[in-house]
């Protein structure tokens, strides 16, 4: 009898409570979606509305048919459109694939030359939700493996 087998016939040798690449991939996809949707809704990582557009920006956006009543950092879609994910067995990341968009995003994140609008990142609640989802996936996978 292996040291992982129990008297009742349960084989625990293939059980792992460690997330795998698929779990991390799902977490990264969820994080990207949260960042994108929250930003398009006009809210920062703390759920607060972004600082309003300047009068000049409102005029420019109006002239090209863009919304002006909500600040969603979506002038060309380059920034939000370049959100990417990467994952492996060690973890996951969300980043931007377009260097110009990343620089633009950093300016908003830090307030360098534009109003500070912290759009990139997750709130504590968002992080806890994603973590809970990973845990749920791991537990469900192990419940399937742990059956007789």
């Amino acid at each position: 009898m292996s040291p992982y087998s129990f008297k009742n016939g349960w084989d625990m040798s293939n059980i792992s409570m460690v997330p795998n690449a698929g779990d991390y991939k799902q977490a990264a996809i969820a994080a990207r979606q949260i960042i994108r949707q929250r930003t398009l809704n006009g809210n920062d990582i703390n759920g607060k509305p972004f600082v309003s557009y300047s009068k000049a920006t409102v005029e420019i956006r109006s002239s090209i048919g863009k919304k002006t009543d909500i600040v969603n950092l979506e002038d060309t879609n380059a920034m939000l459109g370049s959100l990417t994910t990467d994952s492996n067995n060690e973890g996951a990341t969300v980043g931007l694939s377009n260097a110009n968009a990343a620089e633009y995003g950093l300016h908003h994140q830090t307030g360098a030359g534009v109003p500070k609008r912290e759009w990139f990142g997750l709130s504590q609640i968002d992080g806890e939700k994603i973590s809970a989802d990973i845990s749920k996936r791991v537990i469900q996978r192990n419940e399937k493996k742990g059956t007789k």
Side-chain angles (χ1 to χ4, degrees), residues 31-109:
R32 179 184 63 193
Q33 183 59 27
I34 289 168
I35 292 167
R36 181 175 170 69
Q37 194 57 57
R38 185 190 60 228
T39 303
L40 288 173
N41 288 341
N43 296 311
D44 67 14
I45 63 173
N46 300 306
K48 295 179 182 175
F50 290 127
V51 173
S52 299
Y53 287 129
S54 69
K55 184 177 178 181
T57 300
V58 169
E59 289 174 7
I60 292 168
R61 288 181 65 83
S62 293
S63 72
I64 58 173
K66 296 273 188 179
K67 289 183 177 185
T68 60
D69 58 334
I70 185 169
V71 176
N72 61 11
L73 309 182
E74 189 270 327
D75 282 337
T76 66
N77 197 38
M79 187 177 76
L80 293 178
S82 71
L83 284 170
T84 62
T85 63
D86 188 27
S87 59
N88 58 35
N89 283 322
E90 302 297 318
T93 59
V94 177
L96 287 94
S97 62
N98 178 313
N100 291 332
E103 184 175 348
Y104 177 76
L106 180 62
H107 287 214
H108 276 290
Q109 188 79 8

Side-chain angles (χ1 to χ4, degrees), residues 121-135:
L122 298 173
S123 69
Q124 182 74 28
I125 293 170
D126 293 334
E128 288 170 2
K129 181 186 178 302
I130 290 172
S131 180
D133 289 345
I134 289 176
S135 294

Side-chain angles (χ1 to χ4, degrees), residues 1-35:
M1 180 156 93
S2 87
Y4 301 104
S5 294
F6 292 95
K7 203 172 196 181
N8 66 8
W10 289 73
D11 179 6
M12 301 297 284
S13 62
N14 62 352
I15 300 297
S16 172
M17 296 308 288
V18 177
N20 63 27
D23 299 323
Y24 288 127
K25 180 178 181 176
Q26 290 302 312
I29 290 168
R32 179 184 63 193
Q33 183 59 27
I34 289 168
I35 292 167

